[in-house]
Amino acid sequence: MTKKFTPVFIVGLMAVLSSFCTACYYDKEEVLYPDLPCDTTRQMSYSSDVVPVLSVNCYNCHSLVNAPIYGEGLVLEGYANLRTYLFENPDVLLNSIKQNGQALAMPRGSSKLDKCSISDIEVWIKQGQKNN
């Protein structure tokens, strides 16, 4: 005697199999949509605009812990450290992240930061480097 597959069983099997066919992936928005404008008309915030960029791209070498080992002693972590560095070297950070040849390209051994991250830092600097 042969068993017949019921439509409910087939639909259930298809649902299970289709769940294996989906995948998660992460793409950079700037790569997918390169012409999206950056919103630099607003007041930039140290805590919500600058720190996230630095923590992902710079603190691997320039944190309090890692700077003596990997960052040649340059600490960018913390508002006071970043402010002091920008006061002593006003153009170096921007030239480094812009990778324009006027300073050592950063992040070292990694791709250039996306244009919106660079713009956010540049506008924050031009807006007075507020600790907000």
PDB file of all heavy atoms in Angstrom, residues 38-74:
ATOM      1  N   CYS A  38      24.543  62.973   2.588  1.00  0.00           N
ATOM      2  CA  CYS A  38      24.776  62.923   4.024  1.00  0.00           C
ATOM      3  C   CYS A  38      24.078  64.123   4.653  1.00  0.00           C
ATOM      4  O   CYS A  38      24.139  65.219   4.103  1.00  0.00           O
ATOM      5  CB  CYS A  38      26.266  62.993   4.333  1.00  0.00           C
ATOM      6  SG  CYS A  38      27.222  61.705   3.534  1.00  0.00           S
ATOM      7  N   ASP A  39      23.454  63.934   5.773  1.00  0.00           N
ATOM      8  CA  ASP A  39      22.775  65.030   6.450  1.00  0.00           C
ATOM      9  C   ASP A  39      23.773  65.755   7.340  1.00  0.00           C
ATOM     10  O   ASP A  39      23.995  65.374   8.488  1.00  0.00           O
ATOM     11  CB  ASP A  39      21.601  64.513   7.273  1.00  0.00           C
ATOM     12  CG  ASP A  39      20.868  65.638   7.993  1.00  0.00           C
ATOM     13  OD1 ASP A  39      21.088  66.816   7.639  1.00  0.00           O
ATOM     14  OD2 ASP A  39      20.079  65.342   8.901  1.00  0.00           O
ATOM     15  N   THR A  40      24.392  66.779   6.799  1.00  0.00           N
ATOM     16  CA  THR A  40      25.367  67.558   7.566  1.00  0.00           C
ATOM     17  C   THR A  40      24.818  68.934   7.927  1.00  0.00           C
ATOM     18  O   THR A  40      25.571  69.808   8.340  1.00  0.00           O
ATOM     19  CB  THR A  40      26.680  67.706   6.774  1.00  0.00           C
ATOM     20  OG1 THR A  40      26.396  68.295   5.509  1.00  0.00           O
ATOM     21  CG2 THR A  40      27.367  66.372   6.581  1.00  0.00           C
ATOM     22  N   THR A  41      23.506  69.115   7.776  1.00  0.00           N
ATOM     23  CA  THR A  41      22.896  70.406   8.107  1.00  0.00           C
ATOM     24  C   THR A  41      22.516  70.495   9.575  1.00  0.00           C
ATOM     25  O   THR A  41      22.250  71.572  10.077  1.00  0.00           O
ATOM     26  CB  THR A  41      21.632  70.634   7.258  1.00  0.00           C
ATOM     27  OG1 THR A  41      20.700  69.581   7.510  1.00  0.00           O
ATOM     28  CG2 THR A  41      21.975  70.675   5.775  1.00  0.00           C
ATOM     29  N   ARG A  42      22.514  69.386  10.263  1.00  0.00           N
ATOM     30  CA  ARG A  42      22.110  69.363  11.670  1.00  0.00           C
ATOM     31  C   ARG A  42      23.319  69.583  12.578  1.00  0.00           C
ATOM     32  O   ARG A  42      24.457  69.521  12.139  1.00  0.00           O
ATOM     33  CB  ARG A  42      21.433  68.037  12.002  1.00  0.00           C
ATOM     34  CG  ARG A  42      22.335  66.849  11.803  1.00  0.00           C
ATOM     35  CD  ARG A  42      21.576  65.528  11.951  1.00  0.00           C
ATOM     36  NE  ARG A  42      22.385  64.421  11.518  1.00  0.00           N
ATOM     37  CZ  ARG A  42      23.344  63.851  12.236  1.00  0.00           C
ATOM     38  NH1 ARG A  42      23.608  64.291  13.437  1.00  0.00           N
ATOM     39  NH2 ARG A  42      24.045  62.849  11.758  1.00  0.00           N
ATOM     40  N   GLN A  43      23.040  69.829  13.841  1.00  0.00           N
ATOM     41  CA  GLN A  43      24.101  69.962  14.838  1.00  0.00           C
ATOM     42  C   GLN A  43      24.688  68.576  15.097  1.00  0.00           C
ATOM     43  O   GLN A  43      23.973  67.664  15.481  1.00  0.00           O
ATOM     44  CB  GLN A  43      23.542  70.546  16.139  1.00  0.00           C
ATOM     45  CG  GLN A  43      24.566  70.755  17.220  1.00  0.00           C
ATOM     46  CD  GLN A  43      25.575  71.830  16.877  1.00  0.00           C
ATOM     47  OE1 GLN A  43      25.254  72.823  16.267  1.00  0.00           O
ATOM     48  NE2 GLN A  43      26.808  71.622  17.267  1.00  0.00           N
ATOM     49  N   MET A  44      25.975  68.416  14.853  1.00  0.00           N
ATOM     50  CA  MET A  44      26.627  67.126  15.067  1.00  0.00           C
ATOM     51  C   MET A  44      26.891  66.935  16.559  1.00  0.00           C
ATOM     52  O   MET A  44      27.158  67.887  17.281  1.00  0.00           O
ATOM     53  CB  MET A  44      27.947  67.036  14.302  1.00  0.00           C
ATOM     54  CG  MET A  44      27.795  66.979  12.819  1.00  0.00           C
ATOM     55  SD  MET A  44      26.913  65.510  12.336  1.00  0.00           S
ATOM     56  CE  MET A  44      26.369  65.986  10.723  1.00  0.00           C
ATOM     57  N   SER A  45      26.835  65.692  16.978  1.00  0.00           N
ATOM     58  CA  SER A  45      27.011  65.349  18.385  1.00  0.00           C
ATOM     59  C   SER A  45      28.250  64.480  18.551  1.00  0.00           C
ATOM     60  O   SER A  45      28.438  63.515  17.804  1.00  0.00           O
ATOM     61  CB  SER A  45      25.769  64.596  18.871  1.00  0.00           C
ATOM     62  OG  SER A  45      26.024  63.959  20.090  1.00  0.00           O
ATOM     63  N   TYR A  46      29.060  64.814  19.546  1.00  0.00           N
ATOM     64  CA  TYR A  46      30.236  63.994  19.841  1.00  0.00           C
ATOM     65  C   TYR A  46      29.809  62.571  20.180  1.00  0.00           C
ATOM     66  O   TYR A  46      30.338  61.610  19.619  1.00  0.00           O
ATOM     67  CB  TYR A  46      31.034  64.612  20.997  1.00  0.00           C
ATOM     68  CG  TYR A  46      32.119  63.704  21.520  1.00  0.00           C
ATOM     69  CD1 TYR A  46      33.278  63.490  20.782  1.00  0.00           C
ATOM     70  CD2 TYR A  46      31.981  63.043  22.736  1.00  0.00           C
ATOM     71  CE1 TYR A  46      34.271  62.637  21.247  1.00  0.00           C
ATOM     72  CE2 TYR A  46      32.964  62.200  23.208  1.00  0.00           C
ATOM     73  CZ  TYR A  46      34.105  61.991  22.460  1.00  0.00           C
ATOM     74  OH  TYR A  46      35.077  61.143  22.925  1.00  0.00           O
ATOM     75  N   SER A  47      28.828  62.433  21.069  1.00  0.00           N
ATOM     76  CA  SER A  47      28.456  61.096  21.546  1.00  0.00           C
ATOM     77  C   SER A  47      27.713  60.259  20.514  1.00  0.00           C
ATOM     78  O   SER A  47      27.916  59.053  20.442  1.00  0.00           O
ATOM     79  CB  SER A  47      27.632  61.198  22.824  1.00  0.00           C
ATOM     80  OG  SER A  47      26.454  61.944  22.592  1.00  0.00           O
ATOM     81  N   SER A  48      26.883  60.875  19.671  1.00  0.00           N
ATOM     82  CA  SER A  48      26.109  60.055  18.741  1.00  0.00           C
ATOM     83  C   SER A  48      26.635  60.063  17.312  1.00  0.00           C
ATOM     84  O   SER A  48      26.269  59.190  16.531  1.00  0.00           O
ATOM     85  CB  SER A  48      24.633  60.478  18.755  1.00  0.00           C
ATOM     86  OG  SER A  48      24.494  61.810  18.336  1.00  0.00           O
ATOM     87  N   ASP A  49      27.493  61.007  16.944  1.00  0.00           N
ATOM     88  CA  ASP A  49      28.016  61.053  15.579  1.00  0.00           C
ATOM     89  C   ASP A  49      29.504  60.734  15.481  1.00  0.00           C
ATOM     90  O   ASP A  49      29.932  60.066  14.552  1.00  0.00           O
ATOM     91  CB  ASP A  49      27.761  62.440  14.951  1.00  0.00           C
ATOM     92  CG  ASP A  49      26.293  62.743  14.797  1.00  0.00           C
ATOM     93  OD1 ASP A  49      25.583  61.890  14.234  1.00  0.00           O
ATOM     94  OD2 ASP A  49      25.839  63.814  15.248  1.00  0.00           O
ATOM     95  N   VAL A  50      30.290  61.203  16.421  1.00  0.00           N
ATOM     96  CA  VAL A  50      31.743  61.040  16.351  1.00  0.00           C
ATOM     97  C   VAL A  50      32.204  59.749  17.019  1.00  0.00           C
ATOM     98  O   VAL A  50      32.953  58.971  16.419  1.00  0.00           O
ATOM     99  CB  VAL A  50      32.462  62.272  16.961  1.00  0.00           C
ATOM    100  CG1 VAL A  50      33.961  62.081  16.972  1.00  0.00           C
ATOM    101  CG2 VAL A  50      32.085  63.533  16.196  1.00  0.00           C
ATOM    102  N   VAL A  51      31.763  59.511  18.242  1.00  0.00           N
ATOM    103  CA  VAL A  51      32.215  58.323  18.984  1.00  0.00           C
ATOM    104  C   VAL A  51      31.919  57.019  18.238  1.00  0.00           C
ATOM    105  O   VAL A  51      32.801  56.157  18.165  1.00  0.00           O
ATOM    106  CB  VAL A  51      31.642  58.301  20.415  1.00  0.00           C
ATOM    107  CG1 VAL A  51      31.905  56.972  21.098  1.00  0.00           C
ATOM    108  CG2 VAL A  51      32.236  59.433  21.237  1.00  0.00           C
ATOM    109  N   PRO A  52      30.735  56.838  17.666  1.00  0.00           N
ATOM    110  CA  PRO A  52      30.505  55.572  16.947  1.00  0.00           C
ATOM    111  C   PRO A  52      31.481  55.342  15.791  1.00  0.00           C
ATOM    112  O   PRO A  52      31.944  54.220  15.583  1.00  0.00           O
ATOM    113  CB  PRO A  52      29.070  55.707  16.423  1.00  0.00           C
ATOM    114  CG  PRO A  52      28.418  56.659  17.365  1.00  0.00           C
ATOM    115  CD  PRO A  52      29.498  57.626  17.752  1.00  0.00           C
ATOM    116  N   VAL A  53      31.829  56.391  15.069  1.00  0.00           N
ATOM    117  CA  VAL A  53      32.785  56.248  13.959  1.00  0.00           C
ATOM    118  C   VAL A  53      34.166  55.901  14.500  1.00  0.00           C
ATOM    119  O   VAL A  53      34.826  54.981  14.013  1.00  0.00           O
ATOM    120  CB  VAL A  53      32.852  57.542  13.121  1.00  0.00           C
ATOM    121  CG1 VAL A  53      33.946  57.448  12.068  1.00  0.00           C
ATOM    122  CG2 VAL A  53      31.509  57.833  12.469  1.00  0.00           C
ATOM    123  N   LEU A  54      34.588  56.620  15.525  1.00  0.00           N
ATOM    124  CA  LEU A  54      35.911  56.368  16.097  1.00  0.00           C
ATOM    125  C   LEU A  54      35.989  54.994  16.761  1.00  0.00           C
ATOM    126  O   LEU A  54      36.995  54.295  16.620  1.00  0.00           O
ATOM    127  CB  LEU A  54      36.267  57.456  17.117  1.00  0.00           C
ATOM    128  CG  LEU A  54      36.420  58.877  16.574  1.00  0.00           C
ATOM    129  CD1 LEU A  54      36.748  59.836  17.719  1.00  0.00           C
ATOM    130  CD2 LEU A  54      37.464  58.960  15.498  1.00  0.00           C
ATOM    131  N   SER A  55      34.940  54.606  17.452  1.00  0.00           N
ATOM    132  CA  SER A  55      34.990  53.318  18.159  1.00  0.00           C
ATOM    133  C   SER A  55      35.082  52.146  17.191  1.00  0.00           C
ATOM    134  O   SER A  55      35.775  51.172  17.469  1.00  0.00           O
ATOM    135  CB  SER A  55      33.802  53.160  19.100  1.00  0.00           C
ATOM    136  OG  SER A  55      32.599  53.094  18.381  1.00  0.00           O
ATOM    137  N   VAL A  56      34.430  52.237  16.056  1.00  0.00           N
ATOM    138  CA  VAL A  56      34.480  51.152  15.074  1.00  0.00           C
ATOM    139  C   VAL A  56      35.775  51.170  14.274  1.00  0.00           C
ATOM    140  O   VAL A  56      36.330  50.124  13.950  1.00  0.00           O
ATOM    141  CB  VAL A  56      33.262  51.234  14.121  1.00  0.00           C
ATOM    142  CG1 VAL A  56      33.413  50.305  12.935  1.00  0.00           C
ATOM    143  CG2 VAL A  56      31.980  50.934  14.872  1.00  0.00           C
ATOM    144  N   ASN A  57      36.283  52.365  13.974  1.00  0.00           N
ATOM    145  CA  ASN A  57      37.396  52.476  13.032  1.00  0.00           C
ATOM    146  C   ASN A  57      38.745  52.857  13.635  1.00  0.00           C
ATOM    147  O   ASN A  57      39.770  52.625  12.998  1.00  0.00           O
ATOM    148  CB  ASN A  57      37.044  53.510  11.955  1.00  0.00           C
ATOM    149  CG  ASN A  57      35.839  53.111  11.160  1.00  0.00           C
ATOM    150  OD1 ASN A  57      35.906  52.199  10.352  1.00  0.00           O
ATOM    151  ND2 ASN A  57      34.718  53.772  11.397  1.00  0.00           N
ATOM    152  N   CYS A  58      38.760  53.436  14.823  1.00  0.00           N
ATOM    153  CA  CYS A  58      40.013  53.988  15.355  1.00  0.00           C
ATOM    154  C   CYS A  58      40.469  53.389  16.684  1.00  0.00           C
ATOM    155  O   CYS A  58      41.664  53.291  16.945  1.00  0.00           O
ATOM    156  CB  CYS A  58      39.887  55.500  15.520  1.00  0.00           C
ATOM    157  SG  CYS A  58      39.377  56.369  14.029  1.00  0.00           S
ATOM    158  N   TYR A  59      39.511  53.027  17.534  1.00  0.00           N
ATOM    159  CA  TYR A  59      39.870  52.580  18.877  1.00  0.00           C
ATOM    160  C   TYR A  59      40.608  51.251  18.910  1.00  0.00           C
ATOM    161  O   TYR A  59      41.211  50.920  19.923  1.00  0.00           O
ATOM    162  CB  TYR A  59      38.649  52.505  19.783  1.00  0.00           C
ATOM    163  CG  TYR A  59      38.022  53.840  20.127  1.00  0.00           C
ATOM    164  CD1 TYR A  59      36.817  53.894  20.805  1.00  0.00           C
ATOM    165  CD2 TYR A  59      38.624  55.041  19.781  1.00  0.00           C
ATOM    166  CE1 TYR A  59      36.229  55.101  21.129  1.00  0.00           C
ATOM    167  CE2 TYR A  59      38.040  56.254  20.096  1.00  0.00           C
ATOM    168  CZ  TYR A  59      36.840  56.278  20.774  1.00  0.00           C
ATOM    169  OH  TYR A  59      36.254  57.472  21.098  1.00  0.00           O
ATOM    170  N   ASN A  60      40.589  50.499  17.819  1.00  0.00           N
ATOM    171  CA  ASN A  60      41.377  49.262  17.798  1.00  0.00           C
ATOM    172  C   ASN A  60      42.848  49.558  18.050  1.00  0.00           C
ATOM    173  O   ASN A  60      43.560  48.748  18.637  1.00  0.00           O
ATOM    174  CB  ASN A  60      41.226  48.543  16.462  1.00  0.00           C
ATOM    175  CG  ASN A  60      39.865  47.935  16.288  1.00  0.00           C
ATOM    176  OD1 ASN A  60      39.161  47.678  17.249  1.00  0.00           O
ATOM    177  ND2 ASN A  60      39.478  47.711  15.052  1.00  0.00           N
ATOM    178  N   CYS A  61      43.306  50.703  17.597  1.00  0.00           N
ATOM    179  CA  CYS A  61      44.708  51.099  17.803  1.00  0.00           C
ATOM    180  C   CYS A  61      44.839  52.302  18.739  1.00  0.00           C
ATOM    181  O   CYS A  61      45.858  52.451  19.403  1.00  0.00           O
ATOM    182  CB  CYS A  61      45.359  51.446  16.467  1.00  0.00           C
ATOM    183  SG  CYS A  61      45.475  50.062  15.333  1.00  0.00           S
ATOM    184  N   HIS A  62      43.840  53.185  18.752  1.00  0.00           N
ATOM    185  CA  HIS A  62      43.983  54.456  19.455  1.00  0.00           C
ATOM    186  C   HIS A  62      43.094  54.585  20.686  1.00  0.00           C
ATOM    187  O   HIS A  62      42.642  55.684  21.018  1.00  0.00           O
ATOM    188  CB  HIS A  62      43.725  55.612  18.470  1.00  0.00           C
ATOM    189  CG  HIS A  62      44.689  55.646  17.335  1.00  0.00           C
ATOM    190  ND1 HIS A  62      46.015  55.977  17.497  1.00  0.00           N
ATOM    191  CD2 HIS A  62      44.523  55.348  16.024  1.00  0.00           C
ATOM    192  CE1 HIS A  62      46.627  55.902  16.323  1.00  0.00           C
ATOM    193  NE2 HIS A  62      45.749  55.523  15.408  1.00  0.00           N
ATOM    194  N   SER A  63      42.854  53.473  21.380  1.00  0.00           N
ATOM    195  CA  SER A  63      42.122  53.520  22.648  1.00  0.00           C
ATOM    196  C   SER A  63      43.120  53.681  23.788  1.00  0.00           C
ATOM    197  O   SER A  63      44.341  53.588  23.585  1.00  0.00           O
ATOM    198  CB  SER A  63      41.323  52.234  22.845  1.00  0.00           C
ATOM    199  OG  SER A  63      42.206  51.135  23.021  1.00  0.00           O
ATOM    200  N   LEU A  64      42.609  53.906  24.980  1.00  0.00           N
ATOM    201  CA  LEU A  64      43.487  54.034  26.147  1.00  0.00           C
ATOM    202  C   LEU A  64      44.350  52.793  26.328  1.00  0.00           C
ATOM    203  O   LEU A  64      45.522  52.880  26.664  1.00  0.00           O
ATOM    204  CB  LEU A  64      42.652  54.275  27.409  1.00  0.00           C
ATOM    205  CG  LEU A  64      41.934  55.620  27.489  1.00  0.00           C
ATOM    206  CD1 LEU A  64      40.896  55.614  28.597  1.00  0.00           C
ATOM    207  CD2 LEU A  64      42.929  56.739  27.697  1.00  0.00           C
ATOM    208  N   VAL A  65      43.768  51.627  26.081  1.00  0.00           N
ATOM    209  CA  VAL A  65      44.474  50.364  26.281  1.00  0.00           C
ATOM    210  C   VAL A  65      45.419  50.057  25.127  1.00  0.00           C
ATOM    211  O   VAL A  65      46.562  49.635  25.342  1.00  0.00           O
ATOM    212  CB  VAL A  65      43.458  49.208  26.465  1.00  0.00           C
ATOM    213  CG1 VAL A  65      44.151  47.870  26.522  1.00  0.00           C
ATOM    214  CG2 VAL A  65      42.625  49.435  27.711  1.00  0.00           C
ATOM    215  N   ASN A  66      44.971  50.264  23.900  1.00  0.00           N
ATOM    216  CA  ASN A  66      45.741  49.832  22.729  1.00  0.00           C
ATOM    217  C   ASN A  66      46.749  50.840  22.194  1.00  0.00           C
ATOM    218  O   ASN A  66      47.673  50.457  21.483  1.00  0.00           O
ATOM    219  CB  ASN A  66      44.792  49.450  21.598  1.00  0.00           C
ATOM    220  CG  ASN A  66      43.968  48.240  21.933  1.00  0.00           C
ATOM    221  OD1 ASN A  66      44.366  47.410  22.744  1.00  0.00           O
ATOM    222  ND2 ASN A  66      42.800  48.126  21.332  1.00  0.00           N
ATOM    223  N   ALA A  67      46.591  52.101  22.506  1.00  0.00           N
ATOM    224  CA  ALA A  67      47.471  53.129  21.937  1.00  0.00           C
ATOM    225  C   ALA A  67      48.954  52.905  22.223  1.00  0.00           C
ATOM    226  O   ALA A  67      49.777  53.074  21.326  1.00  0.00           O
ATOM    227  CB  ALA A  67      47.040  54.516  22.405  1.00  0.00           C
ATOM    228  N   PRO A  68      49.328  52.506  23.434  1.00  0.00           N
ATOM    229  CA  PRO A  68      50.757  52.279  23.670  1.00  0.00           C
ATOM    230  C   PRO A  68      51.338  51.130  22.837  1.00  0.00           C
ATOM    231  O   PRO A  68      52.514  51.140  22.499  1.00  0.00           O
ATOM    232  CB  PRO A  68      50.827  51.942  25.163  1.00  0.00           C
ATOM    233  CG  PRO A  68      49.578  52.490  25.749  1.00  0.00           C
ATOM    234  CD  PRO A  68      48.550  52.394  24.665  1.00  0.00           C
ATOM    235  N   ILE A  69      50.501  50.171  22.475  1.00  0.00           N
ATOM    236  CA  ILE A  69      50.975  48.992  21.749  1.00  0.00           C
ATOM    237  C   ILE A  69      50.861  49.178  20.241  1.00  0.00           C
ATOM    238  O   ILE A  69      51.812  48.961  19.502  1.00  0.00           O
ATOM    239  CB  ILE A  69      50.168  47.746  22.176  1.00  0.00           C
ATOM    240  CG1 ILE A  69      50.282  47.537  23.681  1.00  0.00           C
ATOM    241  CG2 ILE A  69      50.611  46.513  21.409  1.00  0.00           C
ATOM    242  CD1 ILE A  69      49.247  46.606  24.260  1.00  0.00           C
ATOM    243  N   TYR A  70      49.673  49.606  19.782  1.00  0.00           N
ATOM    244  CA  TYR A  70      49.397  49.651  18.348  1.00  0.00           C
ATOM    245  C   TYR A  70      49.300  51.056  17.763  1.00  0.00           C
ATOM    246  O   TYR A  70      49.461  51.232  16.559  1.00  0.00           O
ATOM    247  CB  TYR A  70      48.078  48.933  18.040  1.00  0.00           C
ATOM    248  CG  TYR A  70      48.016  47.532  18.560  1.00  0.00           C
ATOM    249  CD1 TYR A  70      47.192  47.199  19.629  1.00  0.00           C
ATOM    250  CD2 TYR A  70      48.790  46.531  17.986  1.00  0.00           C
ATOM    251  CE1 TYR A  70      47.134  45.904  20.112  1.00  0.00           C
ATOM    252  CE2 TYR A  70      48.741  45.235  18.472  1.00  0.00           C
ATOM    253  CZ  TYR A  70      47.907  44.930  19.527  1.00  0.00           C
ATOM    254  OH  TYR A  70      47.848  43.659  20.005  1.00  0.00           O
ATOM    255  N   GLY A  71      49.001  52.047  18.577  1.00  0.00           N
ATOM    256  CA  GLY A  71      48.712  53.381  18.070  1.00  0.00           C
ATOM    257  C   GLY A  71      49.787  54.409  18.288  1.00  0.00           C
ATOM    258  O   GLY A  71      49.523  55.607  18.282  1.00  0.00           O
ATOM    259  N   GLU A  72      51.017  53.956  18.500  1.00  0.00           N
ATOM    260  CA  GLU A  72      52.160  54.853  18.715  1.00  0.00           C
ATOM    261  C   GLU A  72      51.884  55.893  19.800  1.00  0.00           C
ATOM    262  O   GLU A  72      52.342  57.023  19.741  1.00  0.00           O
ATOM    263  CB  GLU A  72      52.551  55.532  17.395  1.00  0.00           C
ATOM    264  CG  GLU A  72      52.987  54.525  16.340  1.00  0.00           C
ATOM    265  CD  GLU A  72      53.411  55.171  15.028  1.00  0.00           C
ATOM    266  OE1 GLU A  72      53.643  56.391  14.992  1.00  0.00           O
ATOM    267  OE2 GLU A  72      53.510  54.420  14.051  1.00  0.00           O
ATOM    268  N   GLY A  73      51.102  55.480  20.807  1.00  0.00           N
ATOM    269  CA  GLY A  73      50.826  56.349  21.944  1.00  0.00           C
ATOM    270  C   GLY A  73      49.723  57.359  21.729  1.00  0.00           C
ATOM    271  O   GLY A  73      49.364  58.086  22.649  1.00  0.00           O
ATOM    272  N   LEU A  74      49.162  57.431  20.534  1.00  0.00           N
ATOM    273  CA  LEU A  74      48.109  58.400  20.236  1.00  0.00           C
ATOM    274  C   LEU A  74      46.759  57.859  20.696  1.00  0.00           C
ATOM    275  O   LEU A  74      46.263  56.870  20.174  1.00  0.00           O
ATOM    276  CB  LEU A  74      48.060  58.706  18.738  1.00  0.00           C
ATOM    277  CG  LEU A  74      46.892  59.559  18.261  1.00  0.00           C
ATOM    278  CD1 LEU A  74      46.892  60.906  18.957  1.00  0.00           C
ATOM    279  CD2 LEU A  74      46.949  59.714  16.768  1.00  0.00           C
TER     280      LEU A  74
END
